[in-house]
């Protein structure tokens, strides 16, 4: 009976990990769609940097909450700055009319 409970909990944990991984990938790819203004790029870069920083912080600290949140904040700030700085400039076409 005890072995059955352990096997069931392992399967549930694997299923939850797959769902969390899918949700993380979906959230990370959402900001990449159609980012043209500096604000959109900053928001998308902040999300991607925060997720990356949290992942690196969790791996480096062994899952401790404090370092994970700190590295997520640093990653989000860095991603927002880089995202806003790399936004494409608006292109305005001048119409020249010759009479």
């Amino acid at each position: 009976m005890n072995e059955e409970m352990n096997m069931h909990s392992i399967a549930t944990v694997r299923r939850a990990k797959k769902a969390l991984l899918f949700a993380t990938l979906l959230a990370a790819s959402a900001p990449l769609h159609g980012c043209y203004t500096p604000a959109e790029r900053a928001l998308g870069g902040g999300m991607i940097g925060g997720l990356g920083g949290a992942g690196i912080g969790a791996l480096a600290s062994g899952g401790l909450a404090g370092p994970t949140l700190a590295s997520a904040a640093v990653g989000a700030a860095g991603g927002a700055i880089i995202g806003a700085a790399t936004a494409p400039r608006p292109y305005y076409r001048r119409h020249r009319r010759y009479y």
Side-chain angles (χ1 to χ4, degrees):
M1 180 78 174
N2 226 0
E3 293 177 17
E4 289 179 19
M5 289 176 51
N6 287 338
M7 291 179 65
H8 178 67
S9 65
I10 290 172
T12 304
V13 169
R14 286 184 185 168
R15 192 174 304 144
K17 283 184 180 180
K18 286 182 181 180
L20 181 63
L21 179 65
F22 178 72
T24 303
L25 290 175
L26 184 65
S29 65
L32 299 176
H33 178 70
C35 298
Y36 296 112
T37 66
E40 290 172 342
R41 295 284 294 235
L43 182 64
M47 288 178 67
I48 293 170
L51 288 172
I56 292 170
L59 289 174
S61 69
L64 296 174
T68 301
L69 292 175
S71 61
V74 170
I81 291 169
I82 292 171
T86 59
R89 293 183 179 177
Y91 175 74
Y92 296 107
R93 178 181 278 181
R94 290 187 166 197
H95 298 284
R96 295 184 183 188
R97 295 184 185 181
Y98 299 98
Y99 295 101

